Amino acid sequence: MTSMSRARVARRIAAGAAYGGGGIGLVGAAAVGLLLAEVRLARRQVGNGNGHSPRVPNAQGLYGLSYSTPGEPPLRLTMLGDSTAAGQGVRRSAQTPGALLASGLAAVAERPVDLRNVAQPGACSDDLDRQVALVLADPGRLPDVCVIMIGANDVTHRMPATRSVRHLAAAVRRLRTAGAEVVVGTCPDLGTVEQVQQPLRWLARRASRQLAAAQTIGTVEQGGRTVSLGDLLGPEFAANPRELFGPDNYHPSAEGYATAAMAVLPTVCAALGLWPAEEERPDVSRREGFLPVARAAVEAVAEPGTEVTAAMPTGPKGPWALLKRRKRRRVSATEPERAPVQP
């Protein structure tokens, strides 16, 4: 399938989500049924063997205490989504993506960061409605920036892509209306799960990429930013599965989460106006620039850690977006400075 064809598919899914379209699928129902069976078999092993517990470490709290300034409130970062946003698969709170992002953001902003996590392991995109309601319930704790990581369960549970994107876009819209910046880590590459064999691995990769591209369109059209996670982690997981998968062979390890956080952090900082101005200009030598949003979405899916953000609401081919291939900067996976979680 050419990039133009992939862009058309992503545009159709996003349009169906926006205008109440029905079940535009990702791949054939029978093929997805087989894929679902294999991924569920893989997931049944979560929590078995190696002394691994499915318990998700509680990483909520205040990070960057050394940057505290009297009278200056901390930045508020909230994580939403599924088990990858929650940090399932690692033992320590410091190894979760939320903790890594909070400590990295505190270092860049030189301000403490108050981390809240409402992500739910096993969640599909329709759970974002509930999660956003939790985030917005207390007007005194509205976040400055939200990071959403969602999509894998939508594929394995055969949720129609239009419905998946509709829920994500609604969540982004509600959070943006409340004043929060929103960064979405798009659907990861399910073709990297070791227990999924060919040709289903190819189908898993195709379904993941189609959903990720459509998520990008839906998010950008609501004023959010996206970062491609699928292709970022895919080659590294494939080359180093024992290193980048956790003990359950399904969720990322501490190193895998650090890789994801390293990709998302620059976009979180840019959304808050904290990234150097010279890095905000498109770099032609890195093939950055302005594209129709569907084209940008497909380009992002095929390139590790690529950011897509809204640029112009209208153009010759509809809305346009800025595609940025931000330099990945390593986030330390060591124990960050954190205050005790408040009851």
Side-chain angles (χ1 to χ4, degrees), residues 257-340:
Y257 279 132
T259 302
M262 183 169 56
V264 173
L265 178 60
T267 299
V268 170
C269 293
L272 293 171
L274 299 172
W275 217 235
E278 61 271 16
E279 293 198 16
E280 293 306 292
R281 291 189 290 270
D283 185 343
V284 177
S285 68
R286 291 168 57 83
R287 295 180 294 115
E288 298 179 344
F290 299 96
L291 292 169
V293 65
R295 282 271 310 282
V298 170
E299 290 269 346
V301 168
E303 181 73 21
T306 303
E307 173 192 316
V308 180
T309 186
M312 295 174 281
T314 58
K317 297 182 180 179
W320 281 54
L322 173 61
L323 184 143
K324 290 282 294 179
R325 294 179 169 89
R326 295 190 181 278
K327 297 175 182 177
R328 292 188 280 160
R329 299 185 179 185
R330 186 53 179 260
V331 177
S332 172
T334 58
E335 186 75 42
E337 182 182 19
R338 176 167 67 104

Coordinates of all heavy atoms in Angstrom, one line a residue, residues 257-340:
Y257 N 10.3 1.4 28.7 CA 9.5 2.6 29.1 C 10.4 3.9 29.1 O 10.0 4.9 28.7 CB 9.0 2.4 30.5 CG 7.7 1.7 30.6 CD1 7.5 0.6 31.5 CD2 6.6 1.9 29.8 CE1 6.4 -0.1 31.6 CE2 5.4 1.2 29.8 CZ 5.3 0.2 30.7 OH 4.1 -0.5 30.8
A258 N 11.7 3.7 29.4 CA 12.6 4.8 29.3 C 12.7 5.3 27.8 O 12.8 6.5 27.6 CB 14.0 4.5 29.9
T259 N 12.8 4.3 26.9 CA 12.8 4.7 25.5 C 11.6 5.5 25.1 O 11.7 6.4 24.3 CB 13.0 3.4 24.7 OG1 14.1 2.7 25.1 CG2 13.1 3.7 23.2
A260 N 10.4 5.0 25.5 CA 9.2 5.7 25.2 C 9.2 7.1 25.8 O 8.8 8.1 25.1 CB 8.0 4.9 25.7
A261 N 9.6 7.2 27.1 CA 9.6 8.5 27.7 C 10.5 9.5 27.1 O 10.3 10.7 26.9 CB 9.9 8.4 29.2
M262 N 11.7 9.0 26.6 CA 12.7 9.8 25.9 C 12.1 10.4 24.6 O 12.4 11.5 24.2 CB 13.9 8.9 25.6 CG 15.0 9.6 25.0 SD 16.5 8.5 24.9 CE 15.9 7.1 24.1
A263 N 11.2 9.7 24.0 CA 10.6 10.2 22.8 C 9.5 11.2 23.0 O 9.3 12.1 22.3 CB 10.0 9.0 22.0
V264 N 8.7 11.0 24.1 CA 7.6 11.8 24.4 C 8.0 13.1 25.1 O 7.4 14.2 24.9 CB 6.6 11.1 25.3 CG1 5.4 12.0 25.8 CG2 6.0 9.9 24.5
L265 N 9.0 13.1 25.9 CA 9.4 14.3 26.7 C 9.6 15.6 25.9 O 9.1 16.6 26.3 CB 10.7 14.0 27.6 CG 11.2 15.1 28.4 CD1 10.2 15.6 29.4 CD2 12.5 14.7 29.1
P266 N 10.4 15.5 24.8 CA 10.5 16.8 24.0 C 9.2 17.4 23.6 O 9.1 18.6 23.6 CB 11.4 16.4 22.8 CG 12.1 15.1 23.3 CD 11.1 14.4 24.2
T267 N 8.3 16.6 23.2 CA 7.0 17.1 22.8 C 6.2 17.7 24.0 O 5.5 18.7 23.8 CB 6.2 16.0 22.1 OG1 6.9 15.5 20.9 CG2 4.8 16.5 21.7
V268 N 6.3 17.0 25.1 CA 5.6 17.6 26.3 C 6.2 19.0 26.7 O 5.5 19.9 26.9 CB 5.8 16.6 27.5 CG1 5.4 17.3 28.8 CG2 5.0 15.4 27.3
C269 N 7.6 19.1 26.6 CA 8.2 20.3 26.9 C 7.9 21.4 25.8 O 7.6 22.5 26.2 CB 9.7 20.1 26.9 SG 10.3 19.1 28.3
A270 N 7.8 21.0 24.6 CA 7.4 21.9 23.5 C 6.0 22.4 23.7 O 5.7 23.6 23.5 CB 7.6 21.3 22.1
A271 N 5.1 21.5 24.1 CA 3.7 21.9 24.3 C 3.6 23.0 25.4 O 2.7 23.9 25.3 CB 2.9 20.7 24.7
L272 N 4.5 23.0 26.4 CA 4.5 23.9 27.5 C 5.4 25.1 27.2 O 5.6 26.0 28.1 CB 4.9 23.2 28.7 CG 4.0 22.2 29.3 CD1 4.6 21.4 30.4 CD2 2.6 22.8 29.7
G273 N 6.0 25.2 26.0 CA 6.8 26.3 25.6 C 8.2 26.3 26.3 O 8.8 27.3 26.5
L274 N 8.7 25.1 26.6 CA 9.9 25.0 27.4 C 11.1 24.5 26.5 O 12.2 24.5 26.9 CB 9.7 24.0 28.5 CG 8.7 24.3 29.6 CD1 8.5 23.1 30.5 CD2 9.1 25.6 30.3
W275 N 10.8 24.2 25.2 CA 11.9 23.7 24.4 C 12.6 24.9 23.7 O 11.9 25.9 23.4 CB 11.3 22.7 23.3 CG 12.2 21.6 23.0 CD1 12.6 21.2 21.8 CD2 12.7 20.6 23.9 NE1 13.4 20.1 21.9 CE2 13.5 19.7 23.2 CE3 12.7 20.4 25.3 CZ2 14.2 18.6 23.7 CZ3 13.3 19.4 25.9 CH2 14.1 18.5 25.1
P276 N 13.8 24.8 23.4 CA 14.6 25.9 22.8 C 13.9 26.3 21.5 O 13.5 25.5 20.7 CB 15.9 25.3 22.5 CG 16.1 24.2 23.5 CD 14.7 23.6 23.7
A277 N 13.8 27.7 21.3 CA 13.1 28.2 20.1 C 13.7 27.7 18.8 O 13.0 27.5 17.8 CB 13.1 29.7 20.2
E278 N 15.0 27.6 18.8 CA 15.6 27.2 17.5 C 15.2 25.7 17.1 O 15.3 25.4 15.9 CB 17.2 27.2 17.6 CG 17.8 26.4 18.7 CD 17.9 27.1 20.0 OE1 17.2 28.1 20.2 OE2 18.7 26.6 20.8
E279 N 14.8 24.9 18.1 CA 14.4 23.6 17.7 C 13.0 23.5 17.3 O 12.5 22.4 16.9 CB 14.7 22.6 18.9 CG 16.1 22.4 19.2 CD 16.4 21.2 20.1 OE1 15.5 20.4 20.2 OE2 17.5 21.1 20.6
E280 N 12.2 24.6 17.4 CA 10.8 24.6 17.0 C 10.7 24.9 15.5 O 9.6 24.7 14.9 CB 10.1 25.7 17.8 CG 9.9 25.3 19.3 CD 9.4 24.0 19.5 OE1 8.2 23.8 19.2 OE2 10.1 23.0 19.9
R281 N 11.7 25.4 14.9 CA 11.7 25.7 13.5 C 11.9 24.4 12.7 O 12.8 23.6 13.0 CB 12.7 26.7 13.1 CG 12.4 28.1 13.6 CD 13.4 29.2 13.0 NE 14.7 29.0 13.5 CZ 15.2 29.6 14.6 NH1 14.5 30.4 15.3 NH2 16.5 29.3 15.0
P282 N 11.2 24.2 11.6 CA 11.4 22.9 10.8 C 12.8 22.9 10.2 O 13.3 23.9 9.8 CB 10.3 23.1 9.7 CG 9.3 24.1 10.2 CD 10.1 25.0 11.1
D283 N 13.4 21.7 10.3 CA 14.7 21.5 9.8 C 14.6 20.7 8.5 O 14.3 19.5 8.5 CB 15.5 20.7 10.8 CG 17.0 20.5 10.4 OD1 17.3 20.7 9.2 OD2 17.8 20.2 11.3
V284 N 14.8 21.3 7.4 CA 14.6 20.7 6.1 C 15.6 19.5 6.0 O 15.2 18.4 5.4 CB 14.8 21.7 4.9 CG1 14.7 21.0 3.6 CG2 13.8 22.8 5.0
S285 N 16.8 19.6 6.5 CA 17.7 18.5 6.4 C 17.3 17.2 7.1 O 17.7 16.1 6.8 CB 19.1 18.9 7.0 OG 19.0 19.1 8.4
R286 N 16.3 17.4 8.1 CA 15.8 16.2 8.8 C 14.4 15.8 8.2 O 13.6 15.1 8.8 CB 15.6 16.5 10.3 CG 17.0 16.7 11.0 CD 16.8 17.3 12.4 NE 15.9 16.5 13.2 CZ 16.2 15.5 13.9 NH1 17.5 15.0 13.9 NH2 15.4 14.9 14.7
R287 N 14.0 16.4 7.1 CA 12.8 16.1 6.4 C 11.6 16.5 7.3 O 10.6 15.9 7.3 CB 12.7 14.7 5.9 CG 13.7 14.3 4.9 CD 13.6 12.9 4.4 NE 13.9 11.9 5.5 CZ 13.1 11.1 6.1 NH1 11.8 11.1 5.7 NH2 13.5 10.3 7.1
E288 N 11.7 17.7 7.9 CA 10.6 18.2 8.7 C 9.9 19.3 7.9 O 10.5 19.9 7.0 CB 11.2 18.9 10.0 CG 11.8 17.9 10.9 CD 12.4 18.5 12.2 OE1 12.5 19.8 12.2 OE2 12.7 17.8 13.1
G289 N 8.7 19.6 8.2 CA 8.0 20.6 7.5 C 6.5 20.5 7.6 O 6.0 19.7 8.4
F290 N 5.8 21.2 6.8 CA 4.3 21.3 6.8 C 3.7 20.4 5.7 O 4.2 20.4 4.6 CB 3.9 22.7 6.6 CG 4.3 23.7 7.6 CD1 5.5 24.4 7.4 CD2 3.7 23.8 8.8 CE1 6.0 25.3 8.4 CE2 4.1 24.7 9.8 CZ 5.3 25.4 9.6
L291 N 2.7 19.6 6.2 CA 2.1 18.6 5.3 C 0.6 18.6 5.6 O 0.2 18.9 6.7 CB 2.7 17.2 5.5 CG 4.1 16.9 5.1 CD1 4.5 15.6 5.7 CD2 4.3 16.9 3.6
P292 N -0.2 18.2 4.6 CA -1.6 17.9 4.9 C -1.6 16.9 6.1 O -0.8 16.0 6.2 CB -2.2 17.2 3.7 CG -1.3 17.8 2.6 CD 0.1 17.9 3.2
V293 N -2.6 17.0 7.0 CA -2.5 16.3 8.3 C -2.5 14.8 8.0 O -1.8 14.0 8.7 CB -3.7 16.7 9.2 CG1 -5.0 16.3 8.6 CG2 -3.5 16.1 10.6
A294 N -3.3 14.3 7.0 CA -3.3 12.8 6.8 C -1.9 12.4 6.3 O -1.4 11.3 6.7 CB -4.3 12.5 5.8
R295 N -1.2 13.1 5.4 CA 0.1 12.8 5.0 C 1.1 12.8 6.2 O 1.9 11.9 6.3 CB 0.6 13.8 3.9 CG 0.0 13.5 2.5 CD 0.8 12.6 1.7 NE 2.3 12.9 1.7 CZ 2.8 13.9 1.0 NH1 2.1 14.7 0.2 NH2 4.1 14.1 1.0
A296 N 1.0 13.8 7.0 CA 1.9 13.9 8.2 C 1.6 12.7 9.1 O 2.6 12.2 9.7 CB 1.6 15.2 8.9
A297 N 0.4 12.3 9.3 CA 0.1 11.1 10.1 C 0.7 9.9 9.6 O 1.3 9.1 10.4 CB -1.4 11.0 10.2
V298 N 0.7 9.6 8.3 CA 1.3 8.4 7.8 C 2.8 8.5 7.9 O 3.5 7.5 8.2 CB 0.8 8.2 6.3 CG1 1.6 7.1 5.6 CG2 -0.7 7.9 6.3
E299 N 3.4 9.7 7.6 CA 4.8 9.9 7.7 C 5.3 9.6 9.2 O 6.3 8.9 9.4 CB 5.2 11.3 7.4 CG 5.1 11.6 5.9 CD 6.4 11.3 5.1 OE1 7.4 11.1 5.8 OE2 6.3 11.3 3.9
A300 N 4.5 10.0 10.1 CA 4.9 9.9 11.5 C 4.9 8.4 11.9 O 5.8 7.9 12.7 CB 3.9 10.6 12.4
V301 N 3.9 7.6 11.5 CA 3.8 6.2 11.8 C 5.0 5.5 11.3 O 5.5 4.5 12.0 CB 2.5 5.6 11.2 CG1 2.5 4.1 11.2 CG2 1.3 6.1 11.9
A302 N 5.6 5.9 10.2 CA 6.8 5.2 9.7 C 8.1 5.7 10.2 O 9.2 5.2 9.8 CB 6.8 5.4 8.1
E303 N 8.1 6.6 11.1 CA 9.4 7.2 11.6 C 9.4 7.2 13.1 O 8.5 7.7 13.8 CB 9.5 8.6 11.1 CG 10.8 9.3 11.5 CD 12.1 8.8 10.7 OE1 11.9 8.2 9.6 OE2 13.2 9.0 11.2
P304 N 10.4 6.7 13.7 CA 10.5 6.6 15.2 C 10.4 8.0 15.9 O 11.1 9.0 15.5 CB 11.9 6.0 15.5 CG 12.2 5.3 14.2 CD 11.6 6.1 13.1
G305 N 9.6 8.1 16.9 CA 9.5 9.3 17.7 C 9.1 10.6 17.0 O 9.4 11.6 17.5
T306 N 8.3 10.5 15.9 CA 8.0 11.7 15.2 C 6.8 12.4 15.8 O 5.8 11.7 16.2 CB 7.7 11.3 13.7 OG1 8.8 10.7 13.2 CG2 7.3 12.6 12.9
E307 N 6.8 13.7 15.9 CA 5.8 14.5 16.5 C 4.9 15.1 15.3 O 5.5 15.5 14.3 CB 6.3 15.6 17.3 CG 5.3 16.6 17.8 CD 5.9 17.9 18.4 OE1 6.9 17.7 19.2 OE2 5.5 19.0 18.1
V308 N 3.6 15.2 15.5 CA 2.7 15.9 14.6 C 1.9 16.9 15.4 O 1.3 16.5 16.5 CB 1.8 14.9 13.8 CG1 0.9 15.7 12.9 CG2 2.6 13.9 13.0
T309 N 1.9 18.1 15.0 CA 1.1 19.1 15.7 C 0.4 20.0 14.7 O 0.8 20.1 13.5 CB 1.9 20.0 16.6 OG1 1.1 20.9 17.4 CG2 2.9 20.8 15.8
A310 N -0.8 20.6 15.1 CA -1.6 21.4 14.2 C -0.7 22.6 13.7 O 0.0 23.2 14.4 CB -2.8 21.9 14.8
A311 N -1.0 23.0 12.4 CA -0.3 24.1 11.9 C -1.3 25.1 11.3 O -1.4 26.2 11.8 CB 0.7 23.7 10.8
M312 N -1.9 24.7 10.2 CA -2.9 25.6 9.6 C -4.3 24.9 9.5 O -4.3 23.7 9.1 CB -2.4 26.0 8.2 CG -1.1 26.8 8.2 SD -0.5 27.1 6.5 CE 0.3 25.5 6.2
P313 N -5.3 25.6 9.9 CA -6.6 24.9 9.9 C -7.2 24.6 8.5 O -7.9 23.7 8.3 CB -7.6 25.9 10.6 CG -6.9 27.3 10.4 CD -5.4 27.0 10.4
T314 N -6.7 25.3 7.5 CA -7.1 25.0 6.1 C -6.0 25.1 5.2 O -5.0 25.8 5.4 CB -8.2 26.0 5.7 OG1 -7.7 27.3 5.7 CG2 -9.5 25.9 6.5
G315 N -6.1 24.4 4.1 CA -5.0 24.4 3.0 C -5.6 23.8 1.8 O -6.8 23.5 1.7
P316 N -4.8 23.6 0.8 CA -5.3 23.1 -0.5 C -5.9 21.7 -0.4 O -6.8 21.3 -1.1 CB -4.0 23.0 -1.4 CG -3.1 24.0 -0.8 CD -3.4 24.0 0.7
K317 N -5.4 20.9 0.6 CA -6.0 19.6 0.9 C -6.5 19.4 2.3 O -6.4 18.4 2.9 CB -4.9 18.5 0.6 CG -4.4 18.5 -0.9 CD -3.4 17.4 -1.1 CE -2.9 17.5 -2.5 NZ -1.8 16.4 -2.8
G318 N -7.1 20.5 2.8 CA -7.6 20.4 4.2 C -6.7 20.9 5.2 O -5.7 21.6 4.9
P319 N -6.9 20.5 6.5 CA -6.0 21.0 7.5 C -4.5 20.5 7.3 O -4.3 19.5 6.8 CB -6.6 20.3 8.8 CG -7.9 20.0 8.4 CD -7.9 19.7 7.0
W320 N -3.6 21.4 7.7 CA -2.2 21.0 7.6 C -1.6 20.9 9.0 O -2.1 21.5 10.0 CB -1.4 22.1 6.8 CG -1.6 22.0 5.3 CD1 -2.8 21.9 4.7 CD2 -0.6 21.9 4.3 NE1 -2.6 21.8 3.3 CE2 -1.3 21.7 3.1 CE3 0.8 21.9 4.3 CZ2 -0.6 21.6 1.9 CZ3 1.5 21.7 3.1 CH2 0.8 21.6 1.9
A321 N -0.5 20.2 9.1 CA 0.2 19.9 10.3 C 1.7 20.1 10.1 O 2.2 20.0 9.0 CB -0.1 18.5 10.8
L322 N 2.4 20.3 11.3 CA 3.8 20.4 11.3 C 4.4 19.1 11.7 O 4.0 18.6 12.8 CB 4.3 21.5 12.2 CG 5.8 21.6 12.5 CD1 6.6 21.8 11.2 CD2 6.1 22.7 13.5
L323 N 5.3 18.5 10.9 CA 5.9 17.2 11.3 C 7.3 17.5 11.8 O 8.1 18.2 11.1 CB 5.9 16.3 10.1 CG 6.5 14.9 10.3 CD1 5.7 13.9 9.5 CD2 8.0 14.8 9.9
K324 N 7.6 17.0 13.0 CA 8.9 17.3 13.6 C 9.6 16.0 14.0 O 8.9 15.1 14.6 CB 8.8 18.1 14.9 CG 8.4 19.6 14.6 CD 9.6 20.4 14.2 CE 10.7 20.5 15.2 NZ 11.8 21.3 14.8
R325 N 10.8 15.8 13.6 CA 11.6 14.6 14.0 C 12.5 15.1 15.1 O 13.7 15.4 14.9 CB 12.3 14.0 12.9 CG 11.4 13.4 11.8 CD 12.1 12.8 10.6 NE 11.2 12.0 9.8 CZ 10.5 12.5 8.8 NH1 10.6 13.8 8.5 NH2 9.7 11.7 8.1
R326 N 12.0 15.1 16.3 CA 12.8 15.7 17.4 C 13.9 14.8 17.8 O 13.8 13.6 17.8 CB 11.9 16.0 18.6 CG 10.8 17.0 18.4 CD 10.1 17.4 19.6 NE 9.1 18.4 19.4 CZ 9.3 19.7 19.2 NH1 10.5 20.2 19.3 NH2 8.3 20.5 19.0
K327 N 15.0 15.4 18.2 CA 16.2 14.6 18.7 C 15.8 14.0 20.0 O 15.3 14.6 20.9 CB 17.4 15.5 18.9 CG 17.9 16.1 17.6 CD 19.0 17.1 17.9 CE 19.5 17.7 16.6 NZ 20.6 18.7 16.8
R328 N 16.0 12.7 20.1 CA 15.7 12.0 21.3 C 16.8 12.2 22.4 O 18.0 11.9 22.1 CB 15.5 10.5 21.1 CG 14.2 10.2 20.3 CD 14.0 8.7 20.2 NE 14.8 8.1 19.2 CZ 15.0 6.8 19.2 NH1 14.6 6.0 20.1 NH2 15.8 6.3 18.2
R329 N 16.4 12.6 23.5 CA 17.3 12.8 24.6 C 17.1 11.8 25.7 O 15.9 11.7 26.1 CB 17.2 14.3 25.2 CG 17.5 15.3 24.1 CD 17.5 16.7 24.6 NE 17.8 17.6 23.6 CZ 18.0 18.9 23.8 NH1 17.9 19.4 25.0 NH2 18.3 19.8 22.8
R330 N 18.1 11.2 26.2 CA 17.9 10.1 27.2 C 17.4 10.6 28.5 O 17.8 11.6 29.1 CB 19.3 9.4 27.4 CG 19.2 8.2 28.3 CD 18.1 7.2 27.7 NE 18.0 6.1 28.5 CZ 18.6 4.9 28.1 NH1 19.4 4.8 27.0 NH2 18.5 3.8 28.8
V331 N 16.4 9.9 29.0 CA 15.8 10.1 30.3 C 16.3 9.1 31.3 O 16.3 7.9 31.0 CB 14.2 10.0 30.3 CG1 13.7 10.2 31.7 CG2 13.7 11.1 29.3
S332 N 16.8 9.5 32.4 CA 17.4 8.6 33.3 C 16.4 7.7 33.9 O 15.3 8.2 34.3 CB 18.2 9.4 34.4 OG 18.6 8.5 35.4
A333 N 16.6 6.4 34.0 CA 15.7 5.5 34.6 C 16.0 5.3 36.1 O 15.4 4.4 36.7 CB 15.7 4.2 33.9
T334 N 16.9 6.1 36.7 CA 17.2 5.9 38.1 C 16.1 6.6 38.9 O 15.3 7.3 38.4 CB 18.6 6.6 38.4 OG1 18.5 8.0 38.0 CG2 19.7 5.9 37.6
E335 N 16.2 6.3 40.2 CA 15.1 6.8 41.1 C 15.1 8.3 41.1 O 16.0 9.0 41.5 CB 15.4 6.3 42.5 CG 14.3 6.7 43.5 CD 13.1 5.8 43.3 OE1 13.2 4.6 43.1 OE2 12.0 6.3 43.4
P336 N 14.0 9.0 40.6 CA 13.9 10.4 40.7 C 13.6 10.9 42.1 O 13.0 10.2 42.9 CB 12.8 10.7 39.7 CG 11.9 9.5 39.7 CD 12.8 8.3 40.0
E337 N 13.8 12.2 42.3 CA 13.5 12.8 43.6 C 12.0 13.0 43.6 O 11.4 13.6 42.8 CB 14.2 14.1 43.7 CG 14.0 14.8 45.0 CD 14.7 16.2 45.0 OE1 15.0 16.7 43.9 OE2 14.9 16.7 46.1
R338 N 11.4 12.4 44.6 CA 9.9 12.5 44.7 C 9.4 12.6 46.1 O 10.0 11.9 47.0 CB 9.3 11.2 44.0 CG 7.8 11.1 44.1 CD 7.2 10.0 43.2 NE 7.6 8.7 43.6 CZ 6.8 7.9 44.2 NH1 5.6 8.2 44.5 NH2 7.2 6.7 44.5
A339 N 8.4 13.4 46.3 CA 7.8 13.5 47.7 C 6.9 12.3 47.9 O 6.4 11.7 46.9 CB 7.1 14.8 47.8
P340 N 6.6 12.0 49.1 CA 5.6 10.9 49.4 C 4.2 11.3 48.7 O 3.9 12.4 48.6 CB 5.5 10.9 50.9 CG 6.8 11.5 51.4 CD 7.1 12.5 50.3

